[in-house]
Amino acid sequence: MLSLQGDFAAHGAALERAGAQPVYVRERAQLAQIDGLVIPGGESTTMLKLLRYEGLFDDLAEFGRRKPMFGTCAGAILMAREVSHPSQESLGLVDIAVERNGYGRQIDSRVVEIDTTENFQQRTAPGKLEAVFIRAPIIRRITGSVERASVNVLARFAGDPVLIEQGPHLVATFHPELTSDSRVHELFLRKL
Ligand code: GLN
């Protein structure tokens, strides 16, 4: 659990509910002790500055080439290949183009029901997901890449992907750590 900024405590609790023992990562040496990393929601620009300040940015990019990572909201922005509105640096671990605060006031902060795909339901349990959006980025495009695993859409809201996976990585533009449904965290834990 990357714990520099944002709602890492809620995520840690959700990981525990899903059966894991989170390590709260604040420095490079801790990366050697973990099987996968969650990047929480928060403020991606601030998190980026802290990653640079702690000398962790390149380590995370390298970690993501070897191990599973799960980014939610600001974490999704950090893991994306392209970021706009405004553009900023990112780890480029998943082939998506995101626009920050892309839903605008429409769902500035809202709880909605979202449709999950058959793939998601078969691997977890049937049913929609309750999704909390807080100044969420929108996934505008899947950028694609021939040498990588393809991007799978696992849930959509109003037609747009909001939960995707690519190879070992998982990305949600909403906050699964803020509801009692553990399916998304469980799915990530099964990737470790
Ligand atoms: N809008 C924030 C950003 O651009 C993300 C919001 C969130 O993580 N809840 O970083």
Side-chain angles (χ1 to χ4, degrees), residues 40-45 72-75 77 88 100-101 134-137 175:
E43 219 293 313
S44 58
T45 309
T72 58
C73 206
I77 297 169
Q88 69 185 17
R100 295 176 64 197
N101 302 301
I134 305 170
R135 295 183 306 283
H175 290 266

Side-chain angles (χ1 to χ4, degrees), residues 5-40:
Q5 195 264 342
D7 79 330
F8 53 84
H11 251 299
L15 286 167
E16 276 177 26
R17 285 198 299 278
Q21 250 187 6
V23 173
Y24 293 90
V25 174
R26 293 196 170 85
E27 42 190 67
R28 312 174 64 179
Q30 291 173 290
L31 290 174
Q33 305 161 16
I34 59 173
D35 301 314
L37 183 73
V38 180
I39 307 185

Side-chain angles (χ1 to χ4, degrees), residues 20 23 31 37 44 55 64 66 81 84 111-112 123 147 176 187:
V23 173
L31 290 174
L37 183 73
S44 58
R66 294 182 288 114
R81 158 110 13 235
S84 62
V111 186
V112 295
R123 288 155 69 195
E147 67 274 18
L187 190 76

Side-chain angles (χ1 to χ4, degrees), residues 36-75:
L37 183 73
V38 180
I39 307 185
E43 219 293 313
S44 58
T45 309
T46 308
M47 239 186 277
L48 202 52
K49 278 189 194 142
L50 293 171
L51 284 176
R52 283 289 184 208
Y53 184 78
E54 299 291 333
L56 266 166
F57 185 87
D58 294 334
D59 296 84
L60 288 204
E62 199 271 328
F63 184 89
R65 284 194 283 275
R66 294 182 288 114
K67 300 239 169 113
M69 277 173 61
F70 173 24
T72 58
C73 206

